[in-house]
Amino acid sequence: MRRAIPAIVGVFAALLAQAAPIEVASPDGSVRFQLTADAEGHLRYRVTQGGRARLESAPAGPIVDGVDLGLTATVGAPQTRELSEVFPWRGNKTSATNHCRAAEIPVESKSGVAWTFEARVFNDGVGFRYRVPGTGRRRVQGESTAWELPRDCTVWFQTDTANYEGVYESARVGQVPLEKEIKNQKRAVHLG
């Protein structure tokens, strides 16, 4: 029986991590951001527009002092608000608009670090950031965040990485060659 208790606790923790996803919609409701946790308890996000996936489910989380804060994280109730600002802008227009729904989502990692996942959902896109409070020396080593494009989307790329003015090509994301023969040279395709 003693061996079964840790297994039961582990299953229970995984079920808690898979709580209902948090969803934030844009002001017009067309763009939706979803934050959830997978079976291992790692934070994952997804973006849809008009019911169609724009970014498939992908991991999210900062890595601070060697700890992935998105792993085995517990998510709290979000504080949401709508922002609508107009401010002066330089460039091809004189003003810019910041109109979105913002959510500050409290997160606590398994290591006990409490931090905030902030998402802003606009009528034409989504942005998010991590706010990790603390004092003293800390080392931000990166993030486990990734993004995954839907298989049926079209991407534009070029293989001439020595010249930014090279010829661009397009293909479905699942059909982009990892290497391409160019003038008797193999070059890797860089998408990011």
Side-chain angles (χ1 to χ4, degrees):
M1 180 68 175
R2 287 187 177 212
R3 288 184 181 174
I5 291 173
I8 291 169
V9 170
V11 168
F12 186 65
L15 290 174
L16 283 176
Q18 293 183 53
I22 291 171
E23 188 169 280
V24 183
S26 63
D28 71 1
S30 65
V31 177
R32 296 186 177 277
F33 171 84
Q34 188 178 77
L35 182 67
T36 189
D38 61 20
E40 290 79 36
H42 200 286
L43 292 179
R44 298 187 71 82
Y45 74 98
R46 183 172 190 258
V47 177
T48 60
Q49 181 184 30
R52 185 174 176 202
R54 295 300 182 188
L55 289 174
E56 296 288 357
S57 177
I63 299 172
V64 180
D65 294 329
V67 177
D68 181 352
L69 300 182
L71 184 60
T72 58
T74 304
V75 178
Q79 297 284 325
T80 59
R81 67 188 189 282
E82 188 163 329
L83 299 172
S84 185
E85 307 169 312
V86 177
F87 50 92
W89 189 256
R90 294 183 182 170
N92 62 352
K93 55 186 177 177
T94 58
S95 64
T97 303
N98 177 24
H99 186 208
C100 67
R101 288 219 175 97
E104 293 182 0
I105 306 162
V107 180
E108 187 165 337
S109 70
K110 180 181 176 183
S111 64
V113 175
W115 55 283
T116 302
F117 189 117
E118 182 180 349
R120 292 188 178 196
V121 185
F122 302 83
N123 293 335
D124 59 356
V126 171
F128 62 84
R129 66 180 176 171
Y130 311 123
R131 294 190 342 238
V132 183
T135 59
R137 291 182 62 125
R138 300 180 78 183
R139 185 172 175 191
V140 178
Q141 294 167 296
E143 56 185 310
S144 58
T145 309
W147 47 272
E148 185 170 332
L149 297 171
R151 283 264 186 226
D152 65 342
C153 77
T154 300
V155 295
W156 288 85
F157 61 95
Q158 68 146 312
T159 56
D160 183 2
T161 58
N163 183 357
Y164 73 92
E165 294 178 348
V167 176
Y168 283 80
E169 302 174 56
S170 67
R172 294 285 188 203
V173 74
Q175 298 170 339
V176 174
L178 297 178
E179 289 186 338
K180 186 169 184 177
E181 193 77 30
I182 300 175
K183 298 179 187 176
N184 299 324
Q185 296 179 10
K186 281 192 177 179
R187 292 201 176 163
V189 174
H190 298 283
L191 294 175

